[in-house]
Amino acid sequence: MTEFENSPAQFRFLHTSDWQLGMPANFLEPEARARFADARLEAVERLFALAQEQRCEAIVVAGDVFDNNLLRPEVYRRAIDVLRTSPVPVYLLPGNHDPFDAASIYRKPEFAQLAQGNSRGVKVEVLQDFAPLELREGVEIVGAPLLTKMPNEDLVARAIQECEQRDAEGDAEEAKNRIRVLVGHGNVSTFGDDNDLSTIDVAAAEEACDRRVIDYVALGDTHSAMSLGSTGRVWYSGAPEVTAFREPHGGGENNSGKALVVDIQVKESGVNVDVEEFSIGRWAFQAVEAEINSRAEAQSFVESVQEMANKRNLVVKYALKGTVDLHTAAWLDQQLEESALGFARLYPRERLMDLHVVPDLDELAEANFGEGFIDAAAKELMESAQEDNRAASDALRLLYRLSAATRKDAV
């Protein structure tokens, strides 16, 4: 990225969104849940460090700063404390998780104090209407805030329209060197939901950029960083810390943990916009699949799990399919149960699990589950498992493991 000194016709800033501070992550155990909550605040601190390192003039947060408007007091207090440490001005846009409604978290008195500036004079301001906020002469930040969780119009289009009306009444000569960044939040037209009145029209936004009504559209809502349209002037920044799973074949949240440093330069030949992605996140959520039809394939899958990096900050859900014998199934369960201790969480994706357990003839002949009702139950479960009864297979695997101490071939 080319280095330059900030001037009225140049502007470098950091584009981020979807911090979702206070995200509950109830799928994690309490120990990992606490670490995950801290990680989200630490990601914000890394954003601040990146902004300073890259000589950004400001940070724009394109919606969903908070997971909701009703945070626990300690979550809210810690977030405010972190916001106070920003080295550059910060502009917060209310999104669908934290809209600027009557109960908005942004109406708390601490935000009025943040807008006055910290001890170094650095302000944190909420984009609560469509009026532009002047960062400095020649640089404006315009918000398209959500006033409700479900708006009934394209708020980015509305913000553009209000900018056009303002320009019609302003000085055309001054506007030539002015840089204007529009901050929005929501789904976009290229994602195909034409029935949603709030869908953001990317083509119209790019056309407004061409006419210099605005120069860049900083969007939030989708948690993977991506460029939209064809001009490179409309972007989703993605969330700085992961919130959902990356799917095995590339779908899902496949480019989260990012932030964007954006350079805008106004030249005689036109406006040049340069966007660079930076990695911020430390956590990962990964969905994996495997087909297992033998002990060797089971061992290969277990080894792939054990070799995963950064397991303490990694959540993995797995979907297995295939057919294995009882001994292999019990061994696999035990290995994955032990491996899970090193992960933030490792668990089966029950909806997609399709691993069948069929005891072979040797296992049926040699199995020793004890005597009396336990032996009788085991035999009944074996018969049901042979008929592809999933619940019976699961119960038989557990019983097989629990009785391992009585068998010579204990797993």
Side-chain angles (χ1 to χ4, degrees):
M1 183 177 290
T2 303
E3 294 290 333
F4 58 84
E5 293 299 325
N6 291 317
S7 75
Q10 300 174 325
F11 178 41
R12 173 182 287 180
F13 65 98
L14 191 147
H15 170 197
T16 178
S17 69
D18 300 280
W19 294 357
Q20 290 191 218
L21 301 177
M23 177 181 170
N26 292 326
F27 56 93
L28 295 175
E29 295 298 324
E31 177 272 334
R33 198 180 308 159
R35 290 192 294 108
F36 184 64
D38 284 343
R40 306 197 77 74
L41 283 174
E42 289 167 0
V44 176
E45 291 171 332
R46 286 194 294 276
L47 289 170
F48 291 172
L50 176 65
Q52 193 165 32
E53 174 190 306
Q54 293 296 315
R55 297 171 45 255
C56 295
E57 283 192 83
I59 297 171
V60 300
V61 190
D64 289 356
V65 179
F66 301 100
D67 191 62
N68 59 68
N69 277 327
L70 299 171
L71 297 182
R72 297 194 313 275
E74 67 273 17
V75 174
Y76 173 70
R77 174 50 54 194
R78 291 165 188 164
I80 293 295
D81 287 346
V82 170
L83 284 169
R84 285 197 178 105
T85 68
S86 178
V88 297
V90 181
Y91 297 91
L92 307 177
L93 182 81
N96 62 296
H97 277 258
D98 54 2
F100 196 68
D101 56 18
S104 177
I105 195 169
Y106 299 111
R107 296 186 186 276
K108 290 181 176 290
E110 287 84 353
F111 282 96
Q113 295 168 9
L114 289 172
Q116 297 303 312
N118 60 19
S119 60
R120 290 169 284 110
V122 176
K123 297 180 180 181
V124 177
E125 300 188 75
V126 179
L127 299 167
Q128 54 189 268
D129 54 36
F130 297 90
L133 295 181
E134 187 176 67
L135 172 68
R136 59 171 167 84
E137 183 180 357
V139 177
E140 293 181 353
I141 310 296
V142 178
L146 275 70
L147 307 182
T148 175
K149 283 183 175 290
M150 300 179 66
N152 59 4
E153 63 176 316
D154 178 350
L155 296 173
V156 167
R158 178 178 168 184
I160 291 171
Q161 183 180 36
E162 296 206 11
C163 286
E164 289 177 312
Q165 293 173 352
R166 204 171 290 109
D167 289 347
E169 301 169 358
D171 187 322
E173 194 62 32
E174 286 184 2
K176 289 182 180 180
N177 287 328
R178 179 207 61 217
I179 293 174
R180 183 183 279 160
V181 173
L182 194 158
V183 189
H185 186 91
N187 197 10
V188 296
S189 54
T190 51
F191 288 179
D193 189 358
D194 296 331
N195 296 320
D196 186 350
L197 296 176
S198 67
T199 297
I200 297 167
D201 188 335
V202 173
E206 288 190 302
E207 195 270 336
C209 288
D210 289 339
R211 291 186 290 109
R212 293 293 322 282
V213 178
I214 52 178
D215 295 296
Y216 178 86
V217 183
L219 293 181
D221 188 49
T222 291
H223 294 182
S224 294
M226 67 179 75
S227 177
L228 301 166
S230 59
T231 62
R233 295 169 72 174
V234 181
W235 277 76
Y236 278 125
S237 68
E241 195 58 87
V242 64
T243 61
F245 284 84
R246 179 187 180 96
E247 294 296 328
H249 306 294
E253 199 169 296
N254 57 25
N255 195 32
S256 61
K258 300 296 179 65
L260 307 177
V261 172
V262 183
D263 284 336
I264 302 176
Q265 298 184 58
V266 178
K267 303 177 179 179
E268 290 186 7
S269 58
V271 176
N272 180 66
V273 176
D274 181 25
V275 180
E276 185 174 357
E277 292 184 22
F278 287 83
S279 293
I280 296 295
R282 296 290 185 268
W283 281 61
F285 296 168
Q286 182 69 52
V288 298
E289 296 176 350
E291 183 165 356
I292 298 176
N293 292 295
S294 67
R295 179 61 171 260
E297 289 177 343
Q299 290 175 326
S300 178
F301 176 69
V302 168
E303 288 171 1
S304 70
V305 168
Q306 292 174 341
E307 291 171 359
M308 290 180 175
N310 192 32
K311 290 195 283 290
R312 66 183 180 279
N313 293 335
L314 175 62
V315 180
V316 174
K317 59 181 179 181
Y318 55 88
L320 307 178
K321 64 179 180 179
T323 302
V324 295
D325 59 39
L326 182 55
H327 186 71
T328 297
W331 178 87
L332 180 60
D333 287 344
Q334 180 177 333
Q335 294 296 312
L336 292 176
E337 184 178 295
E338 293 175 357
S339 296
L341 298 174
F343 285 78
R345 191 178 178 200
L346 172 69
Y347 66 100
R349 196 174 189 177
E350 297 291 354
R351 181 175 59 86
L352 299 180
M353 285 291 286
D354 193 26
L355 185 65
H356 302 272
V357 181
V358 179
D360 62 28
L361 293 177
D362 289 339
E363 288 177 319
L364 292 173
E366 297 176 4
N368 177 14
F369 291 97
E371 298 178 353
F373 72 89
I374 296 179
D375 183 55
K379 290 178 179 178
E380 186 175 336
L381 289 172
M382 282 184 177
E383 291 178 4
S384 297
Q386 292 280 61
E387 297 172 0
D388 203 20
N389 183 313
R390 173 72 181 276
S393 294
D394 291 344
L396 185 60
R397 287 157 67 179
L398 178 59
L399 186 59
Y400 189 78
R401 288 179 59 197
L402 293 174
S403 63
T406 67
R407 300 194 310 272
K408 293 181 180 179
D409 59 339
V411 294

